Amino acid sequence: MHWKPDRSSHLTIHTQIIEWIKSRIDRGDWLIGTKLPTQRHLAELLGVNRSTINNVMEELKAAGLIESKIGSGTYVSNNSWNVLLSKSQPNWQQHIEMSIHKANYHTIQLINDYEQKEDIIRLGTGELSPDLLPSKKIEESLKEIQLDGRAIGYSEPQGSKKLRRILSDYLNKRGIQANIDNILIVSGALQTLQLVSLGLLEENSIIFQEAPSYLNSIHTFQSAGMNMIAVHRNAELKSTLRNIKKKKQSLFYCSPTLQNPSGGNWSMEERQNFYDTCKELKIPIIEDDVYHELLFEQSLRPTLKSIDDSGLVLYLGSVSKTLSPGLRIGWVVGPEAVIKRLADIKMQTDYGSSAISQEIVSYFLSSGMYETHLSDLREKLKERAEFTERILAENFSDIATWKKPKGGFYIWLRFNKAIVNKQLFLNLIKRNILINPGYIYDSTDYHHIRLSYAYASFEELETGLAILKEETEKYFC
Ligand SMILES: Cc1ncc(COP(=O)(O)O)c(C=O)c1O
């Protein structure tokens, strides 16, 4: 909020502030129900006396634009848009509330807002710290990349052929048989979930997943009217799936390697059993594998896709967790007909992913720079994981448990009591600490925090975890 009243204007300060507030409401910047900043805060922001703000508020209340709620604050009133020039304005609030896509959880909206604050310590962020991103190397690569006109035009529906060829080689080396017709380049793995929900499923389809799950922190399938069902991978898995599935369309979303948020990894036997079960029941699988290359121990695990002899698995990869999330490049591997269908929806959505980003990823993969960068990155993440674990061992052993991370970004920290609620989240925000509480990955979970050692600096991890300890141990006295 950069606006301040103009003291040289012929209009009084009072009138200018009234007009400014009206225009914010009129433009929809402050929607019906928005809580206004306190009078003291507004006076500070606008550099005026508190009494001026008080007079402004009284006038706006009298006009029916805002209303006070005792003990709670001042809000834009329900009637405000009628009072303003609403005859010529659409009711955006109604549009927002009635629209198809669900809003993010309030907690996630707060995380997205607070992540932008300068002095916040981000203990949960699912992103590499800026100093782990190879920005200089990407900059240098731009000098090497040759762009002919075609390379920077709209690309083919399935994405740049060059990148798909390179990816095909890269994936084949990892045991995933994918020729270029089996690959679709997407604007981040997240886009695939959107494309699948729009292009492969009918309303009321069932999405099986494990709990906790990354899928619960986004609303892609929920917004498309799908039923999300969490199941355990135990001896009863087959009968559970069979009973629930009945005649409905269904799909299993999973992450057998470095699952987000738990960091869990399935054994080879678990992978085979799971695959066999889904194959028998004809349940397609989305294998989300975006963290796999960050396993600390170099030997990669066999993917479900690599044992897929029936075209059951849609395999997701991305450079977001390894090279740069800002490039927005991911890929999905699957049967040709499915890839064509998803590509068709993608063309109707964004006409293809960024051509420049595809060139950069092609360059990194084909020059070997990607693999060199990965091995360096794994070392750095491992160092951060060990550092974080040392702090946990010294300070949290009495109140929480965790497993040694095998790679990726996260420690799934479990408190011995169910204390991880919205209040704890807000208390920590007040102290400039941002966490990802477990309940955004499983709405019934108040025990866990997804702790990320990938984003905050060593110093911030130390300070942040000390404050986390202070705020959580209060519940254990
Ligand atoms: C498991 C998982 N899948 C997909 C994504 C989205 O990745 P992208 O940036 O490639 O869209 C994320 C990002 O947090 C993730 O954790």
Side-chain angles (χ1 to χ4, degrees):
M1 209 157 61
H2 300 301
W3 182 85
K4 280 200 172 31
D6 176 2
R7 290 184 185 276
S8 63
S9 163
H10 67 282
L11 295 173
T12 63
I13 302 279
H14 176 95
T15 309
Q16 288 182 57
I17 299 176
I18 295 257
E19 288 310 314
W20 174 70
I21 293 181
K22 277 185 178 172
S23 75
R24 298 218 74 171
I25 297 172
D26 195 23
R27 286 200 315 253
D29 294 340
W30 286 351
L31 297 172
I32 292 166
T34 301
K35 185 174 180 182
L36 267 52
T38 60
Q39 291 196 8
R40 186 156 55 85
H41 191 44
L42 267 179
E44 271 168 24
L45 285 173
L46 303 181
V48 299
N49 287 333
R50 178 113 177 249
S51 59
T52 310
I53 298 292
N54 190 36
N55 292 339
V56 165
M57 291 298 169
E58 289 311 314
E59 189 170 325
L60 292 173
K61 268 185 228 162
L65 278 161
I66 59 173
E67 60 193 353
S68 292
K69 293 185 186 164
I70 295 166
S72 169
T74 306
Y75 294 81
V76 176
S77 79
N78 275 337
N79 198 32
S80 60
W81 283 21
N82 292 336
V83 176
L84 291 166
L85 307 161
S86 61
K87 282 185 207 81
S88 62
Q89 295 277 334
N91 187 341
W92 285 117
Q93 188 59 30
Q94 198 181 14
H95 281 272
I96 291 167
E97 278 162 17
M98 305 302 285
S99 66
I100 294 166
H101 212 287
K102 286 184 194 297
N104 250 330
Y105 281 124
H106 185 234
T107 297
I108 298 181
Q109 290 177 342
L110 287 174
I111 293 174
N112 293 339
D113 286 348
Y114 276 88
E115 275 183 348
Q116 308 311 324
K117 274 188 69 180
E118 281 284 299
D119 43 1
I120 202 93
I121 297 182
R122 294 161 59 167
L123 291 184
T125 299
E127 187 181 335
L128 288 171
S129 147
D131 61 88
L132 294 177
L133 296 176
S135 49
K136 273 274 159 273
K137 287 198 187 120
I138 292 181
E139 209 174 292
E140 281 158 23
S141 75
L142 288 171
K143 292 181 202 130
E144 303 295 324
I145 292 170
Q146 290 182 354
L147 298 172
D148 64 33
R150 287 234 306 254
I152 53 165
Y154 289 125
S155 64
E156 290 180 53
Q158 284 177 227
S160 132
K161 240 190 202 115
K162 175 158 91 182
L163 177 54
R164 284 185 287 138
R165 270 197 204 103
I166 293 167
L167 270 172
S168 163
D169 285 348
Y170 182 72
L171 292 167
N172 283 345
K173 273 192 236 153
R174 295 179 50 194
I176 297 172
Q177 305 303 321
N179 69 44
I180 62 169
D181 297 325
N182 299 119
I183 300 174
L184 168 67
I185 307 297
V186 284
S187 304
L190 178 58
Q191 187 181 41
T192 311
L193 303 176
Q194 193 85 40
L195 298 176
V196 167
S197 79
L198 294 171
L200 294 182
L201 295 166
E202 59 191 14
E203 224 178 309
N204 287 322
S205 295
I206 295 171
I207 309 295
F208 293 110
Q209 58 175 340
E210 292 189 279
S213 167
Y214 164 70
L215 269 198
N216 288 329
S217 70
I218 51 177
H219 284 145
T220 317
F221 290 110
Q222 294 87 327
S223 294
M226 313 290 158
N227 298 319
M228 313 298 291
I229 298 187
V231 289
H232 293 290
R233 275 180 307 110
N234 53 21
E236 283 83 52
L237 178 68
K238 194 184 291 179
S239 55
T240 311
L241 294 180
R242 186 181 282 126
N243 289 340
I244 300 174
K245 180 181 177 259
K246 299 270 168 48
K247 289 203 170 101
K248 289 235 172 90
Q249 261 194 3
S250 63
L251 187 153
F252 207 121
Y253 168 87
C254 63
S255 252
T257 308
L258 295 175
Q259 199 249 17
N260 177 9
S262 69
N265 295 286
W266 303 1
S267 68
M268 189 53 223
E269 196 189 346
E270 287 174 312
R271 286 167 203 246
Q272 191 66 56
N273 288 342
F274 175 79
Y275 178 78
D276 292 343
T277 302
C278 289
K279 183 172 164 182
E280 191 181 324
L281 299 176
K282 294 197 169 61
I283 298 178
I285 299 168
I286 294 186
E287 180 179 24
D288 188 338
D289 207 27
V290 301
Y291 293 94
H292 197 142
E293 293 148 304
L294 300 176
L295 273 172
F296 294 153
E297 302 315 328
Q298 221 321 46
S299 55
L300 299 178
R301 311 280 169 96
T303 57
L304 297 178
K305 189 67 195 160
S306 65
I307 54 173
D308 181 19
D309 54 12
S310 307
L312 199 67
V313 180
L314 297 181
Y315 175 85
L316 309 192
S318 169
V319 295
S320 289
K321 307 299 169 183
T322 52
L323 192 62
S324 155
L327 291 174
R328 303 308 300 132
I329 295 294
W331 48 89
V332 52
V333 179
E336 233 177 283
V338 175
I339 292 300
K340 281 218 155 50
R341 166 71 174 154
L342 298 181
D344 184 47
I345 310 266
K346 180 168 162 66
M347 282 310 265
Q348 298 178 59
T349 311
D350 67 0
Y351 288 143
S353 301
S354 155
I356 304 274
S357 294
Q358 294 186 70
E359 285 294 322
I360 295 173
V361 175
S362 299
Y363 180 78
F364 263 75
L365 282 167
S366 59
S367 64
M369 280 165 81
Y370 186 62
E371 291 192 63
T372 313
H373 163 69
L374 279 181
S375 64
D376 182 46
L377 179 61
R378 279 191 289 264
E379 280 311 307
K380 288 183 174 148
L381 285 171
K382 195 170 169 200
E383 198 186 332
R384 282 166 164 267
E386 284 165 0
F387 178 80
T388 307
E389 267 201 283
R390 275 201 298 280
I391 301 178
L392 291 180
E394 279 163 24
N395 298 286
F396 287 83
S397 301
D398 293 346
I399 56 173
T401 53
W402 63 93
K403 285 197 180 125
K404 190 175 181 58
K406 296 257 188 328
F409 294 181
Y410 312 120
I411 294 177
W412 189 228
L413 185 64
R414 184 183 195 281
F415 286 88
N416 300 339
K417 286 188 188 169
I419 61 166
V420 186
N421 51 29
K422 181 95 172 264
Q423 195 53 52
L424 176 70
F425 172 78
L426 294 173
N427 291 347
L428 284 161
I429 280 191
K430 277 194 203 131
R431 300 194 63 187
N432 276 345
I433 306 295
L434 205 50
I435 58 160
N436 280 35
Y439 62 78
I440 63 181
Y441 305 101
D442 172 358
S443 60
T444 62
D445 181 349
Y446 294 101
H447 276 279
H448 286 91
I449 284 178
R450 186 189 81 174
L451 201 58
S452 164
Y453 45 80
Y455 193 86
S457 66
F458 286 89
E459 209 182 336
E460 285 175 332
L461 283 167
E462 213 158 5
T463 313
L465 287 170
I467 296 175
L468 179 66
K469 186 186 176 197
E470 279 172 30
E471 290 298 324
T472 48
E473 72 183 353
K474 289 179 190 165
Y475 296 87
F476 288 88
C477 298

